[in-house]
Structure formats: C-alpha cells, structure tokens
Amino acid sequence: MGKNKKNKSAQGSAEIYYPSPEVVERAHIKDYDSLYKRSIEDREGFWAEQAENLEWFKKWDKVLDDSNPPFFKWFVGGKINIVHNAIDRHLKTWRRNKLAIIWEGEPGDVKTYSYHALNREVSKFANVLKSMGVKKGEIVTIYMPQIPELVIAMLACAKIGAAHSVVYGGFSVEALAERIQDAKSRVLITADGGWRRGKITDLKKIANEAIERSPTIEVCITVKRTGHDVYMENDRDFWWHDLMALPVASPKCETEVMDAEDMLFILYTSGTTGKPKGVLHTHGGYAVYTSTTHKFVFDIKDEDRWWCAADPGWITGHSYIVYGPLINGSTIMMYEGAPNHPYPNRWWQMIEKYGITILYTSPTAIRGLMRFGEAWPNRHDLSTLRLLGSVGEPINPEAWRWYYRVIGHEKCPIMDTWWQTETGGFMITPLPITPLKPGSATKPFFGNEIAVVDENGKEVPPGEEGFLVIKKPWPGMARTIYGDPDRYKEVYWKDFEKQGWYKTGDSARIDEDGYVWIIGRIDDVIKVSGYRLGTAEVESALVSHPAVAEAAAIALPHDVKGNAIHTYVILRAGYEGSPDLEEELKKHVVHELGPIARPESITFVDSLPKTRSGKIMRRVLRAQALGQDVGDLSTLEQ
Ligand code: WT7
C-alpha cells in the first residue's frame, strides 16, 4: 500500500500515513505544535491576527466579550460585511477576472462567473430584493436546487444586511413550512425544479404547498431551471429572470455596513426534540473563522480549483462552498446533480475536465462511489488533485484507504474534518502536514481546546470513550438558537455549566498520541448519509398520518449510508399492518420531510418499550434489533 505508510502502531489500532516532502514544502503551516501552543496561550491575539486578513469598515474595540456566557461576542465594535470580503475587495485586484464559480448542471450545461460577473449578479438581485421591501435584519427563506442562483441569492441577502435561511432542496413540505414559520419569512426564493438522476425535483410544487401552511409569505421569486409547468399566483409569484430584467435590477448596489455581531444567517438543524433549531451565525466571527480554517486546512493557494461537493443547503456548503472559499478568492466548483448520473464516473470526469485540485466530500459519497469499482475513476486523469477532504460522519478505514489509493493515488493527504452546524467551521482536523490515521479527525484546530470527559466533567484516560466538549469560545461559534436563547443554553451549555464548556453531543476517545476518534452522536440525532435528522422529526411525521397512533425511530448501521432509519409503529384502532400500508407510510414521511428521511423499515407493533415517565427507550429497540443484550431495564414501564 501507500509508500508513505508506516505499519501498525504499538496498540495495533491504526496505521499512520505521512505527508510527502512536496506536500510539506508547499504547506502554509509547517509546524502545528508551536502555532497551536501560541494560539492557546494567546487565543485573542491569534484570532486578531487572522482577522487582520479581512477588510473591516471599522476595526473592533475588543476581540472577545465573555462577560455574559454562553452568549459570547467576537470583534466587538467592529464594522464589516462578509460580502465585502467575499466579493467587493477582490474587484480591486487581478482577481476581478478570476473565475469565482464553475457550475455544471446535471444535463451537462455549464455556467461560469468571474468575480466581476458574480458581483454584477449579486448586486442586481440585491436591488431586486430591496425593491421588494427586504430590510436589514429580516430573514429571507431560500429553497433551491444546487444552481448558481442559490449562491447569488445568499450573497444578495447578506449584501443588503438581510439574513438568509436556506432550506435544503431535498426537504419537503412540512420541513420547509416549519422553517418558514419559525423565521417568519415574508420572501421565499425558489426554483421551478432541479435535475436529479435525469428527473425533475418539483420544488415549486412543494414550495406552493408550504406557502399554504405559511401565512407570513408575501412574495415568492422563482428561478426557471427546468421549464416545466408550475402554478404561479398573481401578485405573489414572480420569475427571477423577469425581475432581473427590470430597471430596478441595477448592477450597482452599496454593500451594507454591518456590525460584526449582526446576524448573517440562520440554518435549521435537527436536535433531540421535534422542532428544528435555527442556528444563528454572524458576519464578523464567522467570516474570520471560515476563511482561516479553509486556508490553513486545505492549504489554499490562488491557483487552486476547489470542489466542496456538498449542497449549499447545509452548513458545509455555507462555510466551504460559499463564504470561506470566496473570502479566500478561490475558484469554486459546483455540480447540480447525482454523482452517478448518467454513469458512476461523473465526478471523476469533472475533476479531469476542470482540473480540480481539492475534493472535499462525505464518507457516504465515497462509499457510494466505491461500490461501482475502481475502473470508473481509473479511466480518468485525476493527477491535478493534491488534497482530499471528508466530513459528516466518521470515515471507516476501508473507505479512507480506497479514497487515498484510488482517488488520491497515494499522494493526497485526506483532511478528515470534524465540526458541526453550530461550530461554523472545522474544529478537529488535520493539516496537510499532519501524519494521518485513517478514521481519526486527528487534532484540534488552532485556538481550540477540547476534551473527552465523563458526566462529571472529569477527563477520561486515553483510549476511553466519553463526552466530547469544547472548553473555550471560538469566533465561528453559533451565537444562539434563533428566537430561543433558553434552548441554546439548555442544549449546549447546561450539562457542563460549572466549567463553562460547550457540549458537542458526540462521544469520542483520544488515543495515546492525542488523536481524536469520533464515535458518534449520544443524543437522539441520526446521521443518515451524513445528514442530520432527529428521531423526533421522523416520529412526528409518522404520527401525522391518520393510521398511526405512536411511532419510534432508531438508527441501525448501513453499508453506504452509515446509518439507516428503522421505525416501529403502533396503528390506530381499525387499521391493520400490511406491505401496502408500510409503503404508504414511507411515502408519507418522504412527502412531509423529504427523501433522506425515508424509513428503511417499518415494523408494526402493539407496544413500545417506555420508561415510567413515558419516554420511548430507543436503546432497547436498537439492542433488540441488533440482537444484543438489552441492558438495564430497571426504568422500563412494566
Ligand atoms: C455532526 C454534526 C459539519 C458539517 C456536516 C455535518 C458528525 C461531522 C465528522 C467527522 C466524525 C463527524 C458529528 C457531528 N460529524 N463531521 N469528520 N467525523 N463525525 O454537520 O449536520 O451539524 O452534524 O456530524 O456527529 O456532531 P451537522
């Protein structure tokens, strides 16, 4: 195997892969330990230095305000706009004519935007939004396929000081309606549809149904992508291209001066209870954090062609398709559709065609493509690649090795980045110079102090499992849950309130070398194909069907998806379980939440294991399904 590989370590737990001299030679950071030490000893100094790389309308008065934990503020008194840094400042340099976006649609159509062109589109659409009365502080909901207009819409909102709430295009009616309602959006931006595996995803139809459930919506702007017939309502619905052709859509638009702590966006993510949380990020700290992590971890240079193959609808896309890379002046690649359409070589073909230098994707995508065999990637010239990345869930060593050998030709280190919607950017991650152990996200990024502890906050010995916590604030951290600061405190800060630590919700272990191994979620969050879903969301979607009295959802291992959702349903009187009903219920969940929430199985049962206080004991269901010992049942209701 790899020429840079050393054999099994003393514990036999992991092999180590060393970076080649060429990788080390070109890396921004050549010595992790000393910079890490400095960043911990003088955290604020370190972050102030990184913040100097951005353009501020006015410098901050104070780097960190920690007077009211857990509501930390960064770069207090600073004036900035993230779009000024992602676009405007590049226009003053040669980068004006550099490609900002290369986009390929699933049917094979291509669009490119230089920074100059991107600025024109963003400014025009920003003026359209203004003409619709969109104001600073208001939240615009965006529900779109992966097309350039999605990025343009996000940037246009931020440019005029409005916040965006992007709802992933794979979500369906109830998920969208719930998010629109929580954000009280007046304006929704969508598309007639998108292309996925040669078929049209009917976004406008879903949007129309969601609008019916969302009385706050006054205006819906729709991009014509697929051109199929959609219902448009007078005075409410407008075509994007019609508005962009109006005189109001001038290509000149001032970028709004924002406070560093002003809201940039909210992004909903699943938690333990039914209602998704609107995680809130701000202009200043988030800009500093995403650009710094992107630059150091992926060793970004001007000649790179960066491809983060996530959807902009998730935090990965927000931080590492849109904001971090554009702030760093990178050329970003975007692709609309499925990785295996029309054939499983689609991604490899695009890497060759566009000369991609860095690919950042998820274990589930790698496992999915691995299934088709090596012949597909081997048919393409992947020699432009110099770094690879992984995110979303632990990567199993087998997929890691395949990615390293078949895609990276044993010369591209894999950056396994651990982070969350709430952290805004990479928290635990290698750098290109870090010796790698497949399956480990390695070490904390600069400025971050982490620990694995027991429920009393005591650090567990090396190799033992415990709760992963973050001990000190960082600029990219979420500021609150939109409209619910108490829930923010409760979910993330209550368990280790005394110590003032952030609880990640993951369990992990740290080995003798200080390498972090993420085990998985300890709460009722399921990671399906790297996407985060709450068991409660799936359960309430099931219960919203007239046949269902009660439901429980659990995660069981799955070869490609990492985890799959398995459900248990108690039917209402008068209904009987059947394969037809099972299919109908699966469809119902897809209609309410979206295809990623489709249960793998539905088992009809007469009762569910519950605690005396009535909580469903999902671990009992899980143990039973896996044929394991069900453990301590003392709290089970008899
Ligand atoms: C959860 C956060 C961060 C962008 C995508 C997911 C899991 C994420 C890794 C990794 C092991 C990982 C954790 C985390 N996770 N990256 N490299 N190794 N686990 O964001 O949807 O907010 O999910 O994803 O369980 O808590 P998210």
Side-chain angles (χ1 to χ4, degrees):
M1 199 168 271
K3 51 183 180 295
N4 307 319
K5 177 187 142 184
K6 197 178 90 179
N7 256 322
K8 304 233 178 229
S9 68
Q11 301 101 314
S13 59
E15 66 238 44
I16 301 186
Y17 293 76
Y18 292 93
S20 67
E22 301 87 76
V23 169
V24 177
E25 171 67 23
R26 83 190 298 287
H28 282 301
I29 306 285
K30 302 227 187 334
D31 180 356
Y32 167 82
D33 292 335
S34 63
L35 188 54
Y36 180 73
K37 188 160 171 280
R38 227 210 79 204
S39 74
I40 297 303
E41 284 166 1
D42 179 17
R43 182 174 290 101
E44 292 179 36
F46 173 80
W47 285 118
E49 200 174 291
Q50 305 314 316
E52 292 285 351
N53 294 323
L54 300 186
E55 272 187 20
W56 297 76
F57 299 124
K58 175 185 167 284
K59 283 273 162 66
W60 54 92
D61 305 317
K62 200 171 184 327
V63 178
L64 171 66
D65 175 357
D66 54 5
S67 60
N68 181 29
F71 300 100
F72 298 98
K73 292 183 181 158
W74 284 88
F75 308 108
V76 185
K79 299 284 181 197
I80 194 172
N81 187 309
I82 200 166
V83 176
H84 177 82
N85 284 281
I87 301 179
D88 307 6
R89 68 168 175 160
H90 301 314
L91 304 177
K92 296 179 275 186
T93 72
W94 67 270
R95 283 186 183 138
R96 175 185 273 275
N97 292 325
K98 179 177 175 177
L99 284 187
I101 302 177
I102 303 172
W103 173 85
E104 188 168 306
E106 199 189 69
D109 44 338
V110 176
K111 277 187 182 174
T112 57
Y113 298 79
S114 63
Y115 277 89
H116 173 84
L118 181 62
N119 178 54
R120 283 179 64 87
E121 295 303 305
V122 169
S123 299
K124 287 179 70 164
F125 194 64
N127 281 322
V128 166
L129 290 176
K130 277 188 179 173
S131 77
M132 295 286 179
V134 174
K135 299 250 153 34
K136 193 167 169 172
E138 139 171 19
I139 304 171
V140 173
T141 298
I142 301 176
Y143 178 64
M144 288 168 102
Q146 192 165 170
I147 54 178
E149 288 84 349
L150 167 50
V151 176
I152 293 165
M154 289 166 72
L155 293 164
C157 289
K159 186 176 174 76
I160 62 172
H164 52 73
S165 163
V166 180
V167 178
Y168 170 56
F171 275 136
S172 196
V173 181
E174 183 52 28
L176 174 59
E178 197 172 31
R179 286 158 175 79
I180 293 174
Q181 288 159 16
D182 189 70
K184 299 185 192 62
S185 283
R186 225 167 41 76
V187 177
L188 172 67
I189 307 167
T190 187
D192 56 353
W195 292 103
R196 185 94 192 161
R197 270 191 200 90
K199 291 208 189 81
I200 290 173
T201 52
D202 208 342
L203 294 189
K204 180 58 176 153
K205 185 158 172 266
I206 294 169
N208 284 343
E209 274 189 56
I211 293 173
E212 267 166 41
R213 301 185 196 182
S214 317
T216 54
I217 293 291
E218 293 168 15
V219 171
C220 177
I221 302 174
T222 305
V223 174
K224 192 172 252 175
R225 166 72 187 129
T226 52
H228 70 292
D229 264 349
V230 292
Y231 173 74
M232 301 279 279
E233 192 162 295
N234 264 349
D235 299 332
R236 183 195 76 187
D237 281 316
F238 302 88
W239 288 108
W240 172 291
H241 59 267
D242 286 343
L243 297 172
M244 291 288 265
L246 295 175
V248 297
S250 141
K252 294 227 173 331
C253 176
E254 280 297 309
T255 300
E256 193 74 28
V257 174
M258 304 297 284
D259 198 277
E261 282 293 305
D262 277 340
M263 168 165 67
L264 169 63
F265 66 82
I266 54 173
L267 185 60
Y268 287 89
T269 189
S270 302
T272 36
T273 64
K275 206 169 161 275
K277 304 175 280 202
V279 173
L280 190 150
H281 286 285
T282 57
H283 273 259
Y286 179 80
V288 174
Y289 201 75
T290 53
S291 56
T292 307
T293 47
H294 179 242
K295 182 166 103 196
F296 288 166
V297 173
F298 284 100
D299 196 30
I300 296 301
K301 303 280 161 57
D302 256 317
E303 60 270 29
D304 276 316
R305 284 200 163 171
W306 162 258
W307 187 10
C308 165
D311 191 284
W314 301 97
I315 191 69
T316 313
H318 281 54
S319 301
Y320 299 111
I321 294 178
V322 184
Y323 291 112
L326 292 180
I327 294 171
N328 288 331
S330 304
T331 298
I332 61 178
M333 171 72 202
M334 282 174 71
Y335 165 60
E336 176 186 30
N340 56 348
H341 188 84
Y343 301 107
N345 64 337
R346 186 65 189 264
W347 276 19
W348 321 129
Q349 201 176 38
M350 287 188 290
I351 289 171
E352 175 173 352
K353 179 173 172 194
Y354 300 108
I356 301 299
T357 60
I358 311 170
L359 174 67
Y360 181 44
T361 184
S362 62
T364 191
I366 298 159
R367 288 191 296 261
L369 290 165
M370 209 171 124
R371 273 186 314 170
F372 299 109
E374 293 178 27
W376 292 103
N378 285 349
R379 218 168 278 157
H380 295 276
D381 177 4
L382 305 180
S383 63
T384 52
L385 286 174
R386 63 179 189 84
L387 281 172
L388 299 171
S390 173
V391 62
E393 58 181 318
I395 178 164
N396 46 311
E398 199 192 335
W400 195 101
R401 287 188 209 105
W402 189 85
Y403 196 27
Y404 185 75
R405 182 173 59 81
V406 180
I407 307 306
H409 297 167
E410 299 180 351
K411 69 176 174 59
C412 307
I414 299 174
M415 302 298 105
D416 179 355
T417 60
W418 178 91
W419 58 296
Q420 307 177 301
T421 306
E422 295 86 346
T423 70
F426 311 147
M427 297 302 287
I428 303 173
T429 172
L431 299 174
I433 56 161
T434 309
L436 302 171
K437 301 186 188 184
S440 168
T442 75
K443 300 201 172 178
F445 188 74
F446 304 119
N448 292 332
E449 263 172 279
I450 57 151
V452 171
V453 301
D454 64 18
E455 64 268 19
N456 302 317
K458 198 168 157 296
E459 278 192 39
V460 302
E464 273 179 36
E465 186 176 341
F467 304 103
L468 178 66
V469 297
I470 303 168
K471 292 181 164 179
K472 289 282 166 18
W474 64 102
M477 69 198 304
R479 298 303 191 262
T480 189
I481 291 174
Y482 179 71
D484 204 348
D486 290 342
R487 191 166 170 211
Y488 177 69
K489 267 187 167 164
E490 167 85 25
V491 175
Y492 306 104
W493 302 92
K494 209 185 102 224
D495 286 10
F496 301 104
E497 195 175 4
K498 213 171 64 218
Q499 298 91 340
W501 297 341
Y502 168 89
K503 185 185 82 170
T504 64
D506 279 11
S507 71
R509 52 192 179 82
I510 300 182
D511 70 15
E512 304 274 351
D513 301 329
Y515 277 51
V516 182
W517 299 79
I518 305 293
I519 295 158
R521 301 289 309 187
I522 35 171
D523 49 16
D524 292 324
V525 169
I526 307 183
K527 282 251 136 184
V528 187
S529 301
Y531 298 136
R532 186 161 149 182
L533 279 171
T535 50
E537 284 172 280
V538 180
E539 289 160 5
S540 56
L542 280 167
V543 174
S544 73
H545 187 281
V548 178
E550 256 194 285
I554 59 165
L556 293 178
H558 184 280
D559 279 353
V560 175
K561 299 177 187 171
N563 292 295
I565 302 167
H566 293 259
T567 60
Y568 299 82
V569 161
I570 302 177
L571 293 174
R572 283 182 195 277
Y575 288 92
E576 225 171 286
S578 68
D580 281 351
L581 183 58
E582 182 178 343
E583 188 51 34
E584 186 182 322
L585 292 179
K586 286 181 181 174
K587 281 207 180 115
H588 178 73
V589 174
V590 171
H591 181 263
E592 292 295 297
L593 290 177
I596 50 165
R598 185 183 164 91
E600 193 79 5
S601 75
I602 294 181
T603 310
F604 298 107
V605 293
D606 295 328
S607 66
L608 289 167
K610 285 189 188 159
T611 62
R612 278 178 221 123
S613 61
K615 269 182 129 182
I616 297 170
M617 293 181 87
R618 294 188 187 80
R619 71 171 175 85
V620 173
L621 289 169
R622 230 178 98 79
Q624 281 169 346
L626 293 170
Q628 295 167 345
D629 180 10
V630 291
D632 177 15
L633 291 184
S634 57
T635 56
L636 189 72
E637 177 200 49
Q638 297 299 335

